[in-house]
């Protein structure tokens, strides 16, 4: 069943959302917040394995992830899936469609999720009047550019252990900002998807996890990962920087 059939027209109250500080500007007046809430007028549920949007689809909206986990990807020329990112609650999706008014990747739910739908034309119009919103959109765009540069550096210069350590540290840091444990996480993605994102074969991903376990840096039980030695994990990243 397509994700659009799960659209919910309930009124979204951004001012009462516990993710407001992550995906909305801070220090807005009550009046400005009310106007933004009118733009974020609906929620959409996306079941695990379903697409939120697809490569080539007409761009209409940005999506703030309210709950759940997504991956973005595209099909490489040889037909393989290339994972380009993993997104979680409080993050904005759909920015790829702004330039050419069509999405350039697929966004797929890795678990049952819910997003707030924000019509982009309305956001553009409102951002001209609310400078705080305009600055926030610019910050989101800047963050995406920085993240892309980070991935390029990751794939271009780092060894396997450095890549996986950077990936785990980034995930746990983002989750901790959302109130989760600073040392434990559940991987919503498969080893194959991690490998696609990090530019590693699945065998290399598994072997690198095993090495981190052997060195007592992490503990792994299926998809549950516990960081036993955060300093050692950080050292793997910084030792050759």
């Amino acid at each position: 069943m397509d994700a659009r059939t799960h659209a919910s027209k309930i009124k979204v109250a951004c001012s009462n959302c516990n993710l407001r500080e992550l995906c909305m500007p801070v220090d807005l007046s009550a009046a400005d917040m009310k106007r933004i809430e009118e733009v974020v007028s609906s929620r959409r549920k996306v079941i695990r394995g379903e697409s939120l949007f697809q490569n080539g689809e007409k761009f209409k909206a940005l999506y703030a992830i309210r709950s759940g986990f997504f991956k973005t990807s595209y099909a490489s020329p040889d037909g393989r899936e290339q994972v380009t990112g993993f997104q979680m609650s409080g993050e904005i999706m759909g920015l790829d469609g702004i330039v050419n008014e069509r999405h350039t990747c697929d966004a797929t739910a890795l678990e049952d999720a819910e997003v707030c739908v924000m019509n982009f034309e309305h956001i553009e119009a409102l951002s001209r009047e609310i400078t705080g919103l305009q600055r926030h959109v610019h910050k989101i765009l800047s963050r995406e550019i920085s993240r892309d540069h980070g991935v390029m550096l990751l794939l271009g210069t780092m060894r396997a252990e450095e890549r996986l350590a950077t990936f785990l540290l980034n995930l746990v840091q983002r989750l901790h900002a959302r109130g989760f444990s600073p040392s434990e996480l559940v991987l919503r993605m498969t080893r194959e998807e991690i490998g696609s994102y990090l530019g590693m074969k699945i065998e290399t991903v598994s072997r690198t996890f095993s090495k981190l376990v052997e060195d007592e840096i992490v503990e792994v039980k299926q998809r549950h990962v516990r960081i036993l030695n955060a300093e050692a994990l950080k050292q793997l990243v910084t030792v050759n920087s």
Side-chain angles (χ1 to χ4, degrees):
M1 188 180 296
D2 191 89
R4 293 156 187 74
T5 62
H6 298 283
S8 170
K9 297 299 181 183
I10 342 181
K11 186 66 179 175
V12 178
C14 300
S15 54
N16 297 325
C17 180
N18 59 3
L19 296 173
R20 175 187 166 183
E21 292 184 4
L22 291 172
C23 67
M24 277 290 161
V26 294
D27 300 327
L28 289 178
S29 68
D32 284 345
M33 179 55 70
K34 185 175 180 181
R35 295 179 71 190
I36 290 176
E37 286 179 358
E38 290 172 0
V39 173
V40 190
S41 58
S42 67
R43 294 179 190 161
R44 178 179 296 166
K45 290 185 178 180
V46 190
I47 305 303
R48 179 184 176 187
E50 289 184 343
S51 296
L52 176 61
F53 55 80
Q54 295 180 324
N55 183 17
E57 185 177 317
K58 187 172 176 56
F59 168 71
K60 296 178 181 178
L62 296 178
Y63 305 92
I65 305 173
R66 184 175 173 84
S67 64
F69 219 99
F70 286 84
K71 70 174 177 182
T72 48
S73 62
Y74 69 91
S76 62
D78 60 3
R80 291 180 300 171
E81 179 187 59
Q82 175 61 57
V83 176
T84 57
F86 299 103
Q87 297 78 24
M88 62 182 71
S89 59
E91 296 181 341
I92 308 294
M93 299 184 68
L95 295 162
D96 62 291
I98 293 176
V99 178
N100 295 316
E101 299 185 350
R102 291 202 176 271
H103 289 290
T104 59
C105 63
D106 300 329
T108 309
L110 295 178
E111 62 181 353
D112 291 354
E114 186 175 47
V115 299
C116 295
V117 183
M118 303 177 287
N119 181 283
F120 189 67
E121 286 185 0
H122 295 167
I123 291 176
E124 275 194 308
L126 200 55
S127 67
R128 296 187 195 106
E129 302 174 33
I130 303 175
T131 55
L133 178 60
Q134 187 179 62
R135 282 196 301 269
H136 189 67
V137 172
H138 289 165
K139 282 182 181 179
I140 292 169
L141 289 169
S142 177
R143 186 169 63 227
E144 287 299 308
I145 292 169
S146 296
R147 186 176 295 175
D148 286 345
H149 286 173
V151 172
M152 288 174 65
L153 177 66
L154 183 74
L155 298 181
T157 63
M158 292 185 176
R159 296 177 295 107
E161 283 187 4
E162 293 175 290
R163 294 183 190 193
L164 188 57
T166 300
F167 175 72
L168 292 174
L169 287 169
N170 174 265
L171 265 188
V172 80
Q173 181 184 46
R174 288 157 65 194
L175 287 166
H176 184 47
R178 287 149 180 80
F180 293 95
S181 168
S183 60
E184 295 186 36
L185 64 152
V186 177
L187 297 173
R188 305 300 180 188
M189 66 292 293
T190 65
R191 297 284 194 274
E192 188 174 5
E193 288 166 337
I194 293 173
S196 176
Y197 179 64
L198 296 179
M200 296 161 57
K201 293 181 178 179
I202 186 171
E203 296 84 1
T204 307
V205 174
S206 297
R207 189 164 57 247
T208 308
F209 264 117
S210 296
K211 180 68 166 59
L212 294 178
V213 170
E214 182 184 329
D215 293 341
E216 298 185 343
I217 295 175
V218 301
E219 180 182 86
V220 180
K221 293 182 179 178
Q222 295 181 331
R223 293 198 179 192
H224 289 75
V225 177
R226 183 180 171 210
I227 298 174
L228 302 175
N229 190 337
E231 286 307 313
L233 200 60
K234 292 174 185 175
Q235 187 66 21
L236 284 174
V237 178
T238 59
V239 69
N240 292 323
S241 297

